[in-house]
Structures are given as structure tokens and as C-alpha cells.
Amino acid sequence: MATGEDGLLISNKMWKMWFPIIVNAVMSTCAYFVTIRIIPKLKDMFIKANLFGIDMSKTTSDKVPEALGVVSGCTFLVTMFLFIPIPFGTSLFNGDFPHDEFVELIAALLSICCMLLLGFADDVLDLRWRHKLLLPTVASLPLLMVYYVNINSTTILVPKPLRDLLGLSINLGFLYYVYMGMLAVFCTNAINILAGVNGLEVGQSIVIAVSIVIFNLIELSRDLWKHQFSLYFMLPYIATSLALLKYNWYPSKVFVGDTFCYLSGMTFAVVGILGHFSKTTLLFFIPQIFNFLYSIPQLFHFVPCPRHRLPKFNSKTDKLEISTTKFRYNDLSALGRLVISVFRLFRLIQWQTKEDHVITNNLTLINLVLKLTGPLHEAKLTTILIGIQICCTAVAFTIRYPLAHYFYD
Amino acid sequence: MATGEDGLLISNKMWKMWFPIIVNAVMSTCAYFVTIRIIPKLKDMFIKANLFGIDMSKTTSDKVPEALGVVSGCTFLVTMFLFIPIPFGTSLFNGDFPHDEFVELIAALLSICCMLLLGFADDVLDLRWRHKLLLPTVASLPLLMVYYVNINSTTILVPKPLRDLLGLSINLGFLYYVYMGMLAVFCTNAINILAGVNGLEVGQSIVIAVSIVIFNLIELSRDLWKHQFSLYFMLPYIATSLALLKYNWYPSKVFVGDTFCYLSGMTFAVVGILGHFSKTTLLFFIPQIFNFLYSIPQLFHFVPCPRHRLPKFNSKTDKLEISTTKFRYNDLSALGRLVISVFRLFRLIQWQTKEDHVITNNLTLINLVLKLTGPLHEAKLTTILIGIQICCTAVAFTIRYPLAHYFYD
């Protein structure tokens, strides 16, 4: 049994661990209600500013305001700004202020704010692809700088089977920074390309965020600051995104825009990098990684890529069907032919021929699901896709915990 | 005569003082050329996004792209991001990294980035007045937090004549933070309301920035970090703004938007607050302060305020004339009548009566200048207003240096 003094120490430690998280949760709840309230009020402002889209999977052609992610992003940022003093509570008044932790928080917010600006600029101005790759890299610079100054651990453990070959660990050095910079670019764009049905962008992002929260809670006692840090960001992020989902779920009253995808990707990258669990973060991106790999032939134009790859809406059945791309097999490059043949072999694509043309589905996870299930109602499709995301989180935890023991001590 | 070792110490100190500033100046020069190059390329993107205005003081009605301040703002931010590692050069590699200075830089960038986002959102969405007051306050929170942690000097020296009454100094405590928060709100909006003729927003901002640079150079040896810090921001700010001015000068090929005014105001507030020379910064705002005070009767609706208070363009003479507001004297509140009578007494307004109405000029510095000079060509008007700004800088330095000695030791 603990003596009185031990008990005091434990409760002091518990207090230090949980107090800021509880305050953060309360503030996040408020942020949820604020966001719920202001989105409908601001909707018309967006339409008036020409920021709207027509939902291509509906029979009506109402104007749906676009880029509302900037609203949830702003309430998220404001919540974080107001929260900043809390975790530093007592150390504000005595001399030993933890500048290193403080600067991590501020730099993370800078990167997120930067991405929010870029995302909004993209929605308004329709930026080119090279900007979309360049700017997240630039936005992650302050983050990498802080990582360099505070952590600068660029060593990765080698899995057991490879240790005879490579040794216990490898120091990746500069390459690790390249990897982290690319992580930010990947996270922001990966969510952006798994999109196109009502509620999917926000839904998948919330699943990823909740997965990170579970991981943080499991690891909290092992490395307090890193996982507290992540929770500080994740809770208000989830709250404001849930509020957005309420309006973005089928039938969407608002669209979230690239703004939201960029904001989300950067937020995940930030907590992964500064929490030093970027590989675990990537594990929660299994559907996005699959979707990206599956999309590569079209993204890099080995196979023709139409402007939109959304599933096709059938107004008679009120269901979504796969959308297709059409090409001459012999017009493809050797690489294109190879990829398409492999996909066909593994039944990963629908394959039809019409005269001398081949018709396949567009290479997105959404179309692949539709190929397997047949036409689906939009809300059901989103639900299935989010279900897949949740299953992949279960897989990720299996890899992270039971399986990892085979590869690491 | 200095011995060899002293000489080495001095040159070491000079190196530490000037090296980062020189690198910053070189990077700023690059930023200038980059901004010059990209503005024309992005112009059409803005027009396509419905971000344009018609210049009301021209005979043509071409679409002029609006909110281009976001471009110069982004190149400014990117330059700063790339510059961050430089001032910390050697301390990156040995253990004594100055986290407190680093966090100042990052927090300052966060506040500026936040204002850039808000400004752009304002240009796109046409935010309401209460947002314009609320959001700069929120954006300055990280800044105030850093001030609290790093500096927390809330004591002001009392001028000599009042010392018998108040003592040598007063500790304003919390009020000092309110003052700093209001400074950010004031700076951002003060520039925004002294606007409306081609090149004025950018021109006045550059004069203020150059004034701050001169002040920093004078004080550099007294408090190295604070004034270096300010120069790091001012040089790329001036460079990118000069590039913007090239296109915004009469006849404007682009408009800068609220984006630019907010960005500028926040940048000045940031260096003033963290450099602990906010009162001196305010001294460089004499024309803006005058314009604000002079505008108060209209801003607070003691006197009717039309939607636009720009001077009126006379297409026959190609000159700008004062714009006017019309009201019944007896309809004004007591306060309104008092203010108008005082202004009339000091000949600060043009006063005309027509039947039972009074016609006066709109209460802006621009109209006041036109009242004194008569109708002017737009470019000449801007030049005169910028001339006034420069004269006021001279006045500010007179107050700051020779005069201050009478009031402070």
C-alpha cells in the first residue's frame, strides 16, 4: 500500500497528466458547439463570394458552399490559441519555463496555420499541382527546424530479421528530414485524393484522429509530453471536424474543400513528427496509401486520367456507379500495359472491351469498392468506406502491438 | 589601441551583429525579384476567382485583380521560413540553443501568418466589422503569451514632469497586455482606413517600415537581439512590399486588398511588441492616428458615413476632388454637433449649406489634403500623402530623440 506521501506524489503526477487534457476536452466541446452554430451563419457569405459547387451526385443543382473547412480550421486554431497557457500553468510563474516544449506547440500551430492559408488560397484561386507539392514542404520547415533543435533523433531501429545485415540501428541523418518533409506532403495530398462522396474527407480524417488519440492514451504514461502534446491537437481537431461532418454528411449542406484536407493532413503530420511516432501515424493511413498506390497509373498518366474520377450518379436509381476511363491498350506505354495487366490479373479493375478500346474503372478506392459491391446509395458508400478505414485501424494496431514484437524487442 | 585579442573580439562581435542581417538582406533582394516575377503570372488567377475591383478613379473599367497582398505576404513568409536557421547558426550545433529567442521568432511568424489568413478571408468573404476587431486580438494571443514568458516587463517610465505625482515608474500589469492587444488591432485597421488612392496603402507602409529600420540601426548596439529581430522582419517585408508597389502604383495594375493592410499592421505590431519599442512604433503612425481621430465622427456615426469615402474622380479634368457627406445639422446628436462645430472652427472641414442641409467633406486625411490643395491628379495626391508620412517620421524622430531628453533621463 502506498504511504501518504507516495499517494500525494501519485495524485500530483496524475493531476499533471490529466488536468490539461481535461481542460482541453472541455474547450473542445465548446469549440464543437461554436462551430455548429457559426457554419450555417457563414454559408451565404461563401456563396456570395463565388465559393460554391454543384453536387454532381444529386438530382438538384443547388449551390453548395465550398471550402467550409476554413471555418472549422479557424475555430480549431482559436481554441488552440486560448489553450496555450494551460499546459504551462504553474511554470509560468516560477522560473523554469520549458521553452523547448512551448516552441514545439507554437511551431506546430505555425505549420498548421500556414497550411490553412494555403488550402484556402487553393480553394479560392485553384493553384497548380506544383504549388500543392511545394507549399506543404515550405510550411513544414519551421517544424523540421524545431525537430532538429529539440529532438534531432534520426536513428531508426532495424527490424530483427535484418539486424545481421544492417546492425541494431541506422542513422538516416539528413534523409530522415527529407522523409519528414515528404510525410507532410503525403498526408496533405493523400486525404485530398480519397474524396468525392459526401462526408468522406471528414469521416476518414476523424477515424484517423480517433486512432491517434487511442494510441496516445495507450502510450501516455510512457512519454508524457509527446502524447499529451498530440492529444492537445487531436481533441479540438476532432471536435471541430465533427461539427463540420454534421453539415457535410449526406446530403451535404456544405463542402469542406481542399482547405480541410490540407489542414487535416498537416495536423496529423505535425503530431506524428513532433511526437516522434510518424511511422505509427502512417499505419493509420492504410486506405489512403492503398488509394494512392492504386491511383499512381492515372496520377502519373500511364493510363488516361479524366478531369474528375468521382463515381457516376445514376439519377434513376439514386445510386452511384463506377466511373470509367477509355483507352486503346496498344496506345499505352510499356509500363502502362504492365500495370494494367497486373491489376487485371488480380481482379483489381473492371475490364471491358468495346471495339478496339478498353474500358476500365477509374483507379480510386471508391470505384474499387463499387466494383465489388455493385451500385450503392451515396450515404451507404461513405459508410462502407469509413468502415474500411476503421477496420484498417484495427489492422494498424495489430501491426503496431502484437506483430511488432516479432520484429522489435 | 586595441590589442590583437581585443580586435578579434570586436570583429567577432561585429560578425555576430551583421552576418545574419546581411544574409537577410540578400534573401530579401531575392524575394523582391521573385515577387516581381510572380505577381503578373498570378493576376489572371485572381480575376478568374472573382477577386477583382473596378478602379473608381479611372475612365476605363478594366478588372483590376484584388488582394494581391496575399502574394507578397506569402513570399515574405517563405523568405522568413528559409531564413530561420541563419541567426541561430553555430548555436544549432553546440548545446546552448537560445530557445527563448527562437520562440519569439516563431510566435511572431504565427501571428503574421494568422493575420494573412484573416486578411485574405476578409477579401474573399467580406467579413463583418466585429470579426475585424476580434480576430487580430486572437491572432496576437501567441505573441502576448511569448511576451509574458520572455519579457513580462509591464512597467513604464513616468515622464519627468509627472514624477512628483506618480513616482519614477508605474507597473501597468494586466493593462499593459490589453494595450498590446489593442496595438495589434489598431495597427491593422489604421492602415486599412488610410486607403483608397493607388499606391497609398503600400507607400505609407513602406515609409513606416523604413522608419523602423532606421530606428533599429540607431539602437542596434544597445540591445542587439531586439533590434536584429526587428530587422529580420522589416527587410524582407520592405522588399516584398516594394515589389507589390511596382504594380500598385498609379495606374494600379493590381490592388493589394485588406490582406496587405492586415499583414503590414501585424508585422509592425509584432516587432514593436517583441522589440519592446511599441511606443516608438506608434510614433511612426502619426498620419494614421490623425486620420483615425479625424474619422471618428463618421466611424462611430455621429455624422452620416457613406459606404465609400474615397475622393471623387472628375473624368473631365482627370483629377480627384473631395467627396462629401450631406446632413441636417439639427438631426445630429449633441456630440455630433459639438465635433462638427469644433472642426469647423479650426477649418478642418469644408462647410457648405444648401437649403436646410449642410455639406462637408468626408472626414479622411485624403479629403483634408484635397480641401487644402484643391483637386489633384491621383499620382500627385499619393505622392503628397507619402510626403506627409515622411515628414511625420522626421517629427517622430525629433520627439523620440531630442525632445525625449526633456521628459526622460
Side-chain angles (χ1 to χ4, degrees), chain A residues 168-190:
Chain A
L168 185 65
S169 64
I170 311 179
N171 188 354
L172 291 181
F174 182 69
L175 282 180
Y176 197 78
Y177 286 88
V178 175
Y179 154 72
M180 288 190 292
M182 283 173 63
L183 183 74
V185 178
F186 174 77
C187 288
T188 48
N189 286 295

Short mmCIF file of all heavy atoms in Angstrom, two decimals, chain A residues 168-190:
data_model
loop_
_atom_site.label_atom_id
_atom_site.label_comp_id
_atom_site.label_asym_id
_atom_site.label_seq_id
_atom_site.Cartn_x
_atom_site.Cartn_y
_atom_site.Cartn_z
N LEU A 168 21.97 -2.95 -35.36
CA LEU A 168 20.82 -2.71 -34.49
C LEU A 168 20.01 -1.50 -34.96
O LEU A 168 18.79 -1.47 -34.89
CB LEU A 168 21.32 -2.50 -33.05
CG LEU A 168 20.24 -2.34 -31.98
CD1 LEU A 168 19.45 -3.63 -31.84
CD2 LEU A 168 20.88 -1.94 -30.66
N SER A 169 20.70 -0.47 -35.41
CA SER A 169 20.00 0.75 -35.82
C SER A 169 20.78 1.44 -36.93
O SER A 169 21.97 1.21 -37.11
CB SER A 169 19.84 1.69 -34.63
OG SER A 169 21.12 2.11 -34.20
N ILE A 170 20.04 2.28 -37.68
CA ILE A 170 20.70 3.06 -38.74
C ILE A 170 20.43 4.53 -38.48
O ILE A 170 19.31 4.89 -38.11
CB ILE A 170 20.11 2.74 -40.13
CG1 ILE A 170 20.05 1.24 -40.37
CG2 ILE A 170 20.93 3.41 -41.21
CD1 ILE A 170 19.45 0.91 -41.73
N ASN A 171 21.46 5.32 -38.65
CA ASN A 171 21.26 6.76 -38.55
C ASN A 171 21.00 7.31 -39.95
O ASN A 171 21.90 7.32 -40.80
CB ASN A 171 22.48 7.43 -37.93
CG ASN A 171 22.21 8.89 -37.65
OD1 ASN A 171 21.14 9.42 -38.02
ND2 ASN A 171 23.15 9.56 -37.00
N LEU A 172 19.76 7.74 -40.20
CA LEU A 172 19.41 8.21 -41.54
C LEU A 172 19.89 9.63 -41.78
O LEU A 172 19.94 10.08 -42.92
CB LEU A 172 17.89 8.15 -41.74
CG LEU A 172 17.30 6.75 -41.83
CD1 LEU A 172 15.80 6.83 -42.05
CD2 LEU A 172 17.94 5.96 -42.97
N GLY A 173 20.18 10.37 -40.68
CA GLY A 173 20.70 11.72 -40.83
C GLY A 173 19.77 12.60 -41.63
O GLY A 173 18.56 12.64 -41.40
N PHE A 174 20.35 13.28 -42.61
CA PHE A 174 19.59 14.23 -43.41
C PHE A 174 18.37 13.59 -44.10
O PHE A 174 17.32 14.21 -44.22
CB PHE A 174 20.51 14.87 -44.46
CG PHE A 174 19.83 15.89 -45.30
CD1 PHE A 174 19.44 17.10 -44.75
CD2 PHE A 174 19.54 15.66 -46.64
CE1 PHE A 174 18.79 18.05 -45.51
CE2 PHE A 174 18.90 16.60 -47.41
CZ PHE A 174 18.53 17.80 -46.85
N LEU A 175 18.54 12.33 -44.50
CA LEU A 175 17.44 11.63 -45.18
C LEU A 175 16.18 11.59 -44.32
O LEU A 175 15.06 11.61 -44.84
CB LEU A 175 17.85 10.20 -45.53
CG LEU A 175 18.75 10.03 -46.75
CD1 LEU A 175 19.06 8.56 -46.98
CD2 LEU A 175 18.06 10.63 -47.98
N TYR A 176 16.37 11.52 -43.00
CA TYR A 176 15.22 11.49 -42.11
C TYR A 176 14.41 12.78 -42.22
O TYR A 176 13.18 12.78 -42.13
CB TYR A 176 15.67 11.26 -40.67
CG TYR A 176 14.55 10.80 -39.76
CD1 TYR A 176 14.11 9.49 -39.77
CD2 TYR A 176 13.92 11.70 -38.90
CE1 TYR A 176 13.08 9.07 -38.95
CE2 TYR A 176 12.89 11.29 -38.07
CZ TYR A 176 12.47 9.97 -38.10
OH TYR A 176 11.45 9.56 -37.30
N TYR A 177 15.12 13.89 -42.45
CA TYR A 177 14.42 15.18 -42.61
C TYR A 177 13.67 15.21 -43.93
O TYR A 177 12.57 15.74 -44.03
CB TYR A 177 15.42 16.34 -42.49
CG TYR A 177 15.83 16.53 -41.05
CD1 TYR A 177 16.90 15.84 -40.53
CD2 TYR A 177 15.09 17.35 -40.20
CE1 TYR A 177 17.24 15.97 -39.19
CE2 TYR A 177 15.43 17.49 -38.87
CZ TYR A 177 16.50 16.79 -38.38
OH TYR A 177 16.82 16.91 -37.06
N VAL A 178 14.30 14.64 -44.97
CA VAL A 178 13.62 14.55 -46.25
C VAL A 178 12.34 13.73 -46.08
O VAL A 178 11.26 14.11 -46.54
CB VAL A 178 14.54 13.91 -47.32
CG1 VAL A 178 13.78 13.71 -48.62
CG2 VAL A 178 15.76 14.77 -47.54
N TYR A 179 12.48 12.60 -45.36
CA TYR A 179 11.32 11.75 -45.10
C TYR A 179 10.21 12.53 -44.39
O TYR A 179 9.04 12.47 -44.77
CB TYR A 179 11.76 10.53 -44.27
CG TYR A 179 10.67 9.91 -43.43
CD1 TYR A 179 9.64 9.18 -44.02
CD2 TYR A 179 10.67 10.05 -42.04
CE1 TYR A 179 8.64 8.62 -43.25
CE2 TYR A 179 9.69 9.48 -41.26
CZ TYR A 179 8.66 8.77 -41.87
OH TYR A 179 7.68 8.23 -41.11
N MET A 180 10.58 13.31 -43.37
CA MET A 180 9.56 14.06 -42.62
C MET A 180 8.90 15.13 -43.48
O MET A 180 7.70 15.37 -43.39
CB MET A 180 10.16 14.67 -41.36
CG MET A 180 10.46 13.62 -40.29
SD MET A 180 10.90 14.35 -38.71
CE MET A 180 12.48 15.07 -39.12
N GLY A 181 9.72 15.81 -44.31
CA GLY A 181 9.16 16.81 -45.21
C GLY A 181 8.16 16.16 -46.17
O GLY A 181 7.08 16.70 -46.42
N MET A 182 8.54 14.97 -46.66
CA MET A 182 7.66 14.28 -47.59
C MET A 182 6.41 13.77 -46.88
O MET A 182 5.33 13.67 -47.49
CB MET A 182 8.39 13.13 -48.27
CG MET A 182 9.33 13.61 -49.36
SD MET A 182 10.36 12.31 -50.03
CE MET A 182 9.14 11.22 -50.72
N LEU A 183 6.55 13.45 -45.61
CA LEU A 183 5.39 12.99 -44.83
C LEU A 183 4.29 14.05 -44.85
O LEU A 183 3.11 13.76 -45.06
CB LEU A 183 5.81 12.70 -43.39
CG LEU A 183 4.72 12.13 -42.49
CD1 LEU A 183 4.46 10.67 -42.85
CD2 LEU A 183 5.12 12.24 -41.02
N ALA A 184 4.71 15.32 -44.65
CA ALA A 184 3.73 16.41 -44.65
C ALA A 184 3.06 16.51 -46.01
O ALA A 184 1.84 16.65 -46.11
CB ALA A 184 4.42 17.73 -44.28
N VAL A 185 3.85 16.42 -47.08
CA VAL A 185 3.29 16.49 -48.43
C VAL A 185 2.35 15.32 -48.66
O VAL A 185 1.24 15.48 -49.18
CB VAL A 185 4.42 16.46 -49.49
CG1 VAL A 185 3.81 16.50 -50.89
CG2 VAL A 185 5.35 17.63 -49.29
N PHE A 186 2.76 14.11 -48.22
CA PHE A 186 1.95 12.93 -48.44
C PHE A 186 0.62 13.02 -47.69
O PHE A 186 -0.45 12.81 -48.27
CB PHE A 186 2.70 11.65 -48.03
CG PHE A 186 1.83 10.44 -48.11
CD1 PHE A 186 1.55 9.87 -49.34
CD2 PHE A 186 1.25 9.89 -46.98
CE1 PHE A 186 0.72 8.77 -49.44
CE2 PHE A 186 0.41 8.80 -47.05
CZ PHE A 186 0.14 8.23 -48.30
N CYS A 187 0.71 13.34 -46.38
CA CYS A 187 -0.51 13.36 -45.57
C CYS A 187 -1.53 14.35 -46.14
O CYS A 187 -2.72 14.05 -46.23
CB CYS A 187 -0.20 13.75 -44.13
SG CYS A 187 0.64 12.46 -43.22
N THR A 188 -1.04 15.54 -46.53
CA THR A 188 -1.97 16.55 -47.02
C THR A 188 -2.64 16.11 -48.31
O THR A 188 -3.84 16.28 -48.48
CB THR A 188 -1.28 17.90 -47.26
OG1 THR A 188 -0.09 17.66 -48.01
CG2 THR A 188 -0.90 18.57 -45.97
N ASN A 189 -1.87 15.49 -49.22
CA ASN A 189 -2.44 15.13 -50.51
C ASN A 189 -3.18 13.80 -50.49
O ASN A 189 -4.09 13.59 -51.28
CB ASN A 189 -1.34 15.14 -51.57
CG ASN A 189 -0.94 16.56 -51.95
OD1 ASN A 189 -1.73 17.31 -52.49
ND2 ASN A 189 0.27 16.95 -51.60
N ALA A 190 -2.79 12.89 -49.57
CA ALA A 190 -3.41 11.56 -49.54
C ALA A 190 -4.89 11.67 -49.20
O ALA A 190 -5.72 10.96 -49.76
CB ALA A 190 -2.69 10.67 -48.55
#
